[in-house]
Amino acid sequence: MSYSVTDPSLRQKWGAGILVITYALITLLPLVWIVATGFKSPADSIAYPPKIVFQPSLEGYVNLFTTQTRASEETLKALGEPTTWYDKIVRAKNMMIAGPSRFPERFFNSVIIGFGSTFFAIVLGTAAAYAFSRFRVPLKDDLLFFILSTRMMPPIAVAIPIFLMFRHLGLSDTHAGMILLYTAVNLSLSVWLINGFIDEIPIEYEEAALIDGYTRFQAFYKVVLPQAATGIASTAIFCLIFAWNEYAFAVLLTSGNAQTAPPFIPTIIGVGGQDWPAVAAGATLFLLPVMIFTILLRKHLLRGITFGAVRK
Amino acid sequence: MSRKVIDHAAQATPPAVAHRIRGLSDRAIAWIFVAPTIVLLLAINVFPLIWTVWLSFTNYRVNRPNKEVEFIGLRNYERILTDSDTWLTMQATAHFLVWTIVLQVLIGFSLAYSINKKFKGNDLWTTIIVLPMMLSPAVVGNFWTFLYQPQIGLFNYVIAFITGVDPSSFSMIGEVSLAPWAIVIVDTWMWTPFVMLICLAGLRSIPDSIYEAAECDRASKWRQFWTITIPMVLPFLMLAVLFRGIENFKMFDLVVQLTGGGPGSVTELTSINLKREAFEKWRTGFASAYAVILFVTVFGLASIYVKALNRVKAR
């Protein structure tokens, strides 16, 4: 093994490791608590001292997916024995299931709006980034800075005229309106990041293709796109995560039809005060996909986090 | 060989389309590629911005559409700048900004410095630290109100366990003296990894050869840290501060879910104040003027900062 003077000593490695791992465990605690609370009964969730060992229960998830009404003993008797496991959980507290909750709808809205806006942001962003990278676009630097500067605006500040505009155009509380809005917000990210990725592909590849008789379009999608694919994919994940997490526009511009999950989850209320297991169950289902994505794709995400400002 | 590729490509593309595309000049393609982005940004960003500026000179109220819109000049601006509430809001924002940035830079840099010691498994632990910043601030902020509950909340329990105070004796989000710190803590938990990642990129950009040369010159580790590590990481660190500064100046989702601006208005940051004026009191013209002031502030501060950053980079 080669030895270098710049290699940290074993003792330094141990010290550094202990510090980082301690911080990581502290940071993880609230997230573990969210997942755990989702599987607690309401009584366990507000027990003092906070329960670390508890009897797992699916009551939170049942409450999340159903609406329930209180029923008298006669009504419950008339209904007969509960037929399903979730019926059993609800009946045990003298309630009956009145119907499904709005959570699946809101979750599905998040999926449609997230993927829809990501798709458009990537298509438009890739085209613009390619043009910025390869052609002489007049006022290129100014345009790029303008695109970046649209991100400095507080969302609430733009929300006022967008609110008015959407009302005029009939786009308030529609999926199309939210997709359009998130596409515009994500464009700055996608243009900047993809521009960086395309800049790194040697221009000689395309020149060779052009000399071989390819048209610009062919050179673009047969030479450049495959080379930039990984970068574009990681940009797409960033756009998706942004749209998935966005709250300010969603809470101001949607109320029912197109409402996404982030404004919905905090409004989940139980019979007496906030139903924390149900909130935690909703949060778990909503946050877990992002956590898994992050862990699986960690190698590719670093650059997106730093907005392409920091090159590898 | 190349002939074959062209034939193949020609077969794949219908002749009419191929001909039309082949006929386009690079200039035309450039415009076709850039135009949709510019048009969309003009429609969703620039047009609303211009509209906001126009509204800021009027007394328009969204909830009274029949009332005639009057042009009142700079009166909205005058009212905002002389209002003592605005300055309280600015103070709350400044407190939040300064402390989140200080804590995130200190913790973020220490973590990056440690991770850069390349101990076994550092990759996995880095990913775990990064998790909070990838999550929805509104959903996470909402759950933190549960962690902050007096007595039953996990946060209070842990603090009580460490310090020995009664866990029901304090309420992080209910007390005027603690609430500003409650939002600082959650933001730091969430966004320290961002500063950490940028610092890490900075540390990894320093070539080993510089340290080797310093080692030959018998410079102490302490001296190497202050004369090599810090100056080389500084531009990255400043960039991280810029991004966090802009983001936290706009802060809305996390804090609105955590405290809603309360108790009273001690955590009412500018964006929350703006939301109240625009969407609860419906003072559209007034709120628009407020929005313009905020935008000019962010933009102005960011421009000055970028100039300073470029000077550091050039050094």
Side-chain angles (χ1 to χ4, degrees):
Chain A
M1 218 177 88
S2 69
Y3 173 78
S4 154
V5 283
T6 58
D7 263 358
S9 68
L10 205 61
R11 218 177 65 203
Q12 277 180 322
K13 283 192 186 188
W14 268 93
I18 288 168
L19 183 85
V20 171
I21 292 169
T22 311
Y23 183 86
L25 292 176
I26 294 171
T27 245
L28 204 54
L29 202 56
L31 300 178
V32 171
W33 207 249
I34 293 180
V35 178
T37 306
F39 291 105
K40 285 181 181 179
S41 66
D44 276 350
S45 75
I46 55 169
Y48 176 79
K51 279 199 177 176
I52 295 163
V53 183
F54 55 91
Q55 184 75 40
S57 145
L58 283 173
E59 201 177 327
Y61 285 85
V62 174
N63 292 353
L64 175 70
F65 282 99
T66 59
T67 55
Q68 302 160 8
T69 50
R70 197 165 283 287
S72 65
E73 241 166 86
E74 292 86 65
T75 340
L76 285 177
K77 260 196 196 124
L79 281 171
E81 281 298 301
T83 47
T84 55
W85 61 271
Y86 47 87
D87 252 344
K88 218 177 261 172
I89 291 175
V90 177
R91 299 276 181 88
K93 25 173 214 177
N94 288 328
M95 307 271 276
M96 55 187 252
I97 292 173
S101 76
R102 297 203 168 276
F103 181 72
E105 264 170 61
R106 303 303 194 242
F107 194 87
F108 196 56
N109 281 343
S110 274
V111 173
I112 296 176
I113 293 170
F115 279 93
S117 63
T118 301
F119 174 78
F120 288 115
I122 291 300
V123 171
L124 297 181
T126 307
Y130 179 73
F132 279 126
S133 175
R134 292 297 192 250
F135 300 123
R136 224 174 279 136
V137 178
L139 301 172
K140 175 184 159 180
D141 289 337
D142 294 312
L143 277 176
L144 272 174
F145 182 73
F146 155 71
I147 291 171
L148 183 68
S149 73
T150 58
R151 251 188 135 73
M152 289 186 196
M153 194 79 173
I156 311 293
V158 232
I160 303 165
I162 288 178
F163 177 80
L164 296 171
M165 203 161 88
F166 275 22
R167 227 175 37 171
H168 274 291
L169 301 170
L171 285 171
S172 326
D173 206 12
T174 62
H175 294 93
M178 292 313 283
I179 289 175
L180 194 70
L181 182 58
Y182 286 172
T183 302
V185 178
N186 268 335
L187 256 179
S188 57
L189 183 74
S190 79
V191 172
W192 268 81
L193 286 181
I194 298 173
N195 186 48
F197 289 119
I198 294 180
D199 271 348
E200 274 170 19
I201 302 169
I203 201 159
E204 286 78 18
Y205 290 174
E206 275 163 276
E207 279 167 357
L210 288 174
I211 290 168
D212 279 355
Y214 276 41
T215 66
R216 264 287 176 193
F217 270 99
Q218 285 166 341
F220 171 61
Y221 68 73
K222 291 206 169 136
V223 177
V224 178
L225 276 191
Q227 295 260 346
T230 335
I232 292 173
S234 67
T235 309
I237 289 163
F238 265 92
C239 292
L240 186 61
I241 289 177
F242 169 83
W244 188 253
N245 290 345
E246 209 283 333
Y247 171 78
F249 285 125
V251 78
L252 295 173
L253 301 172
T254 63
S255 46
N257 180 39
Q259 194 184 45
T260 53
F264 176 75
I265 291 172
T267 63
I268 299 169
I269 297 207
V271 182
Q274 196 139 25
D275 182 351
W276 286 110
V279 172
T284 304
L285 292 178
F286 187 72
L287 303 177
L288 218 49
V290 183
M291 294 193 217
I292 292 169
F293 250 123
T294 308
I295 292 171
L296 290 181
L297 300 168
R298 55 181 182 268
K299 292 243 152 55
H300 302 289
L301 291 180
L302 184 85
R303 187 149 164 198
I305 290 171
T306 52
F307 210 99
V310 178
R311 298 276 155 87
K312 263 179 268 179
Chain B
M1 188 249 149
S2 66
R3 198 62 241 166
K4 233 184 210 162
V5 176
I6 302 166
D7 286 347
H8 185 75
Q11 273 165 13
T13 347
V17 177
H19 180 74
R20 212 168 58 224
I21 290 169
R22 211 179 280 270
L24 285 176
S25 67
D26 278 4
R27 209 189 150 91
I29 295 176
W31 278 112
I32 293 170
F33 276 16
V34 177
T37 296
I38 300 296
V39 169
L40 192 63
L41 288 178
L42 285 177
I44 304 276
N45 278 300
V46 177
F47 174 66
L49 188 63
I50 295 168
W51 199 350
T52 307
V53 174
W54 181 78
L55 283 172
S56 73
F57 297 117
T58 68
N59 65 351
Y60 180 65
R61 296 174 78 106
V62 177
N63 61 342
R64 286 184 211 154
N66 296 326
K67 204 176 149 227
E68 207 176 313
V69 179
E70 247 178 87
F71 196 77
I72 57 169
L74 288 171
R75 213 166 332 141
N76 283 328
Y77 290 90
E78 196 189 312
R79 227 178 274 163
I80 293 165
L81 294 175
T82 53
D83 190 355
S84 59
D85 283 354
T86 311
W87 297 108
L88 285 179
T89 304
M90 285 289 179
Q91 264 172 29
T93 311
H95 177 275
F96 178 66
L97 264 178
V98 169
W99 283 106
T100 51
I101 288 176
V102 166
L103 288 174
Q104 287 168 28
V105 164
L106 288 178
I107 303 173
F109 180 80
S110 315
L111 287 172
Y113 192 74
S114 304
I115 289 169
N116 203 36
K117 296 277 178 232
K118 304 183 186 93
F119 59 90
K120 224 175 170 183
N122 67 70
D123 180 41
L124 170 79
W125 295 104
T126 309
T127 313
I128 288 176
I129 294 175
V130 168
L131 283 179
M133 63 171 282
M134 310 300 280
L135 305 177
S136 167
V139 173
V140 170
N142 172 247
F143 196 81
W144 265 89
T145 62
F146 180 56
L147 300 175
Y148 274 151
Q149 298 280 320
Q151 193 160 26
I152 61 161
L154 183 67
F155 181 87
N156 283 40
Y157 184 74
V158 170
I159 295 296
F161 189 82
I162 296 168
T163 63
V165 295
D166 182 6
S168 56
S169 67
F170 64 102
S171 165
M172 288 302 288
I173 50 179
E175 278 168 44
V176 172
S177 58
L178 293 178
W181 296 103
I183 59 176
V184 169
I185 291 170
V186 181
D187 191 79
T188 303
W189 169 74
M190 215 166 175
W191 290 106
T192 296
F194 177 80
V195 181
M196 177 190 88
L197 284 177
I198 295 194
C199 286
L200 196 56
L203 287 167
R204 286 184 177 158
S205 74
I206 306 174
D208 278 348
S209 57
I210 300 185
Y211 289 112
E212 279 156 13
E215 208 56 50
C216 288
D217 291 346
R218 296 179 181 272
S220 67
K221 290 280 178 210
W222 180 249
R223 217 189 128 109
Q224 286 179 30
F225 178 77
W226 286 105
T227 53
I228 301 172
T229 313
I230 292 290
M232 297 282 277
V233 176
L234 194 62
F236 290 85
L237 203 57
M238 285 183 73
L239 202 67
V241 170
L242 174 71
F243 281 119
R244 285 317 303 147
I246 292 176
E247 283 300 313
N248 273 358
F249 195 82
K250 305 193 305 190
M251 173 52 70
F252 178 72
D253 41 12
L254 183 68
V255 174
V256 94
Q257 276 300 329
L258 261 176
T259 64
S265 57
V266 288
T267 58
E268 192 163 306
L269 307 182
T270 45
S271 273
I272 299 174
N273 191 235
L274 179 58
K275 189 236 167 187
R276 224 165 250 180
E277 295 292 343
F279 293 93
E280 281 165 31
K281 299 180 188 164
W282 298 106
R283 298 162 76 185
T284 316
F286 180 85
S288 298
Y290 204 156
V292 172
I293 291 176
L294 289 188
F295 187 59
V296 170
T297 313
V298 184
F299 207 79
L301 290 178
S303 308
I304 296 169
Y305 190 90
V306 168
K307 283 220 175 84
L309 178 64
N310 285 336
R311 202 165 297 158
V312 171
K313 261 188 191 161
R315 227 180 27 206

